Amino acid sequence: VQLQASGGGLVQAGDSLTLACATSGRTLNNYHMGWFRQAPGKERELVAARSWRYGATAIVDSAKGRFTITRDLAQNTMYLHMNSLQPEDAAVYYCAASNRWPMVKEGVHSWGQGTLVTVSS
Protein backbone atom coordinates (compact mmCIF):
# COMPACT_ATOMS: atom_id res chain seq x y z
CA VAL A 1 0.00 0.00 0.00
CA GLN A 2 1.49 3.32 -1.06
CA LEU A 3 0.44 6.58 0.58
CA GLN A 4 1.56 10.06 -0.45
CA ALA A 5 0.79 12.92 1.92
CA SER A 6 0.79 16.54 0.83
CA GLY A 7 -0.69 19.93 1.62
CA GLY A 8 1.33 21.06 4.60
CA GLY A 9 2.58 24.59 4.92
CA LEU A 10 2.90 27.69 7.06
CA VAL A 11 -0.34 29.22 8.28
CA GLN A 12 -1.38 31.70 10.94
CA ALA A 13 -3.34 30.80 14.05
CA GLY A 14 -7.02 30.61 13.19
CA ASP A 15 -6.44 29.65 9.56
CA SER A 16 -7.60 26.50 7.82
CA LEU A 17 -5.60 23.92 5.91
CA THR A 18 -6.45 20.71 4.10
CA LEU A 19 -4.01 17.83 3.87
CA ALA A 20 -4.29 15.19 1.17
CA CYS A 21 -3.24 11.55 1.13
CA ALA A 22 -3.05 10.03 -2.32
CA THR A 23 -3.49 6.29 -2.43
CA SER A 24 -3.80 3.60 -5.04
CA GLY A 25 -6.18 0.87 -5.98
CA ARG A 26 -8.86 0.03 -3.42
CA THR A 27 -6.92 1.27 -0.40
CA LEU A 28 -9.69 3.58 0.77
CA ASN A 29 -12.19 0.73 0.57
CA ASN A 30 -10.02 -1.99 2.03
CA TYR A 31 -8.46 -0.30 5.06
CA HIS A 32 -9.20 1.92 7.99
CA MET A 33 -7.50 5.24 7.35
CA GLY A 34 -6.14 7.91 9.60
CA TRP A 35 -3.84 10.83 10.28
CA PHE A 36 -1.13 10.94 12.91
CA ARG A 37 1.13 13.81 13.86
CA GLN A 38 4.48 14.15 15.51
CA ALA A 39 5.82 17.35 17.01
CA PRO A 40 9.53 17.75 17.86
CA GLY A 41 10.42 15.78 20.97
CA LYS A 42 7.02 14.17 21.20
CA GLU A 43 5.53 10.80 20.40
CA ARG A 44 3.58 10.26 17.22
CA GLU A 45 -0.09 10.56 18.11
CA LEU A 46 -3.34 9.77 16.40
CA VAL A 47 -5.21 12.89 15.31
CA ALA A 48 -8.14 11.50 13.39
CA ALA A 49 -9.19 8.17 11.94
CA ARG A 50 -12.08 6.92 9.90
CA SER A 51 -13.50 3.49 9.30
CA TRP A 52 -15.85 3.64 6.38
CA ARG A 53 -16.36 -0.11 6.80
CA TYR A 54 -17.73 0.31 10.33
CA GLY A 55 -19.10 3.82 9.92
CA ALA A 56 -16.89 5.05 12.74
CA THR A 57 -14.74 8.12 13.36
CA ALA A 58 -12.15 8.86 16.00
CA ILE A 59 -10.85 12.39 16.66
CA VAL A 60 -8.38 13.41 19.35
CA ASP A 61 -10.09 15.61 21.95
CA SER A 62 -8.04 18.69 21.06
CA ALA A 63 -9.20 18.50 17.45
CA LYS A 64 -12.89 17.71 17.95
CA GLY A 65 -15.07 20.22 16.18
CA ARG A 66 -12.10 21.46 14.13
CA PHE A 67 -10.75 18.49 12.11
CA THR A 68 -12.65 16.17 9.78
CA ILE A 69 -11.66 13.31 7.48
CA THR A 70 -13.19 12.83 4.06
CA ARG A 71 -12.35 10.76 1.02
CA ASP A 72 -12.78 11.04 -2.73
CA LEU A 73 -12.94 7.55 -4.18
CA ALA A 74 -12.71 8.83 -7.76
CA GLN A 75 -9.41 10.49 -6.89
CA ASN A 76 -8.24 7.71 -4.51
CA THR A 77 -7.50 10.46 -2.03
CA MET A 78 -8.21 10.99 1.65
CA TYR A 79 -8.29 14.46 3.17
CA LEU A 80 -7.82 15.97 6.59
CA HIS A 81 -9.65 19.27 6.83
CA MET A 82 -8.28 21.39 9.65
CA ASN A 83 -9.96 24.56 10.86
CA SER A 84 -9.03 27.09 13.53
CA LEU A 85 -5.44 25.90 13.61
CA GLN A 86 -3.44 26.67 16.72
CA PRO A 87 0.32 26.69 17.38
CA GLU A 88 -0.07 23.39 19.27
CA ASP A 89 -1.28 21.78 16.03
CA ALA A 90 2.12 22.32 14.45
CA ALA A 91 3.73 18.99 13.61
CA VAL A 92 4.62 16.62 10.83
CA TYR A 93 1.41 14.93 9.76
CA TYR A 94 1.38 11.36 8.48
CA CYS A 95 -1.41 9.50 6.79
CA ALA A 96 -1.80 5.86 7.66
CA ALA A 97 -3.62 2.69 6.73
CA SER A 98 -4.49 -0.14 9.09
CA ASN A 99 -6.44 -3.38 9.28
CA ARG A 100 -7.03 -2.71 12.95
CA TRP A 101 -9.84 -0.70 14.50
CA PRO A 102 -9.72 1.31 16.67
CA MET A 103 -6.65 2.62 14.93
CA VAL A 104 -3.46 2.65 16.95
CA LYS A 105 0.07 3.49 15.92
CA GLU A 106 1.28 -0.08 16.50
CA GLY A 107 -1.35 -1.47 14.14
CA VAL A 108 -0.54 0.73 11.17
CA HIS A 109 0.93 -1.23 8.29
CA SER A 110 1.45 1.62 5.83
CA TRP A 111 2.60 5.21 6.37
CA GLY A 112 2.76 8.22 4.13
CA GLN A 113 6.00 10.18 4.13
CA GLY A 114 4.77 13.09 6.27
CA THR A 115 3.92 16.69 5.53
CA LEU A 116 4.92 19.60 7.77
CA VAL A 117 2.33 21.95 9.24
CA THR A 118 3.63 25.11 10.88
CA VAL A 119 1.30 27.47 12.71
CA SER A 120 2.44 30.95 13.66
CA SER A 121 0.80 32.77 16.55
Side-chain angles (χ1 to χ4, degrees):
V1 176
Q2 291 189 332
L3 307 176
Q4 181 84 19
S6 63
L10 172 63
V11 299
Q12 293 186 336
D15 284 352
S16 298
L17 194 65
T18 294
L19 305 182
C21 180
T23 73
S24 59
R26 295 183 56 81
T27 297
L28 296 181
N29 284 318
N30 291 344
Y31 302 109
H32 312 298
M33 301 295 295
W35 291 90
F36 290 74
R37 67 186 177 192
Q38 188 166 17
K42 294 189 176 181
E43 295 287 324
R44 190 172 298 189
E45 65 169 351
L46 177 67
V47 177
R50 188 86 179 261
S51 172
W52 285 280
R53 186 188 313 167
Y54 298 151
T57 302
I59 307 283
V60 67
D61 285 346
S62 63
K64 285 181 179 177
R66 300 190 298 125
F67 291 10
T68 57
I69 290 183
T70 63
R71 66 177 179 177
D72 183 333
L73 292 175
Q75 298 294 324
N76 287 327
T77 302
M78 172 182 66
Y79 300 96
L80 180 66
H81 306 277
M82 305 185 291
N83 297 319
S84 302
L85 283 162
Q86 300 301 314
E88 52 266 34
D89 295 316
V92 177
Y93 282 70
Y94 300 87
C95 56
S98 175
N99 283 313
R100 181 176 172 180
W101 187 265
M103 182 173 282
V104 294
K105 181 175 57 177
E106 294 75 15
V108 170
H109 58 69
S110 298
W111 293 97
Q113 85 284 9
T115 186
L116 178 64
V117 174
T118 305
V119 184
S120 64
S121 57

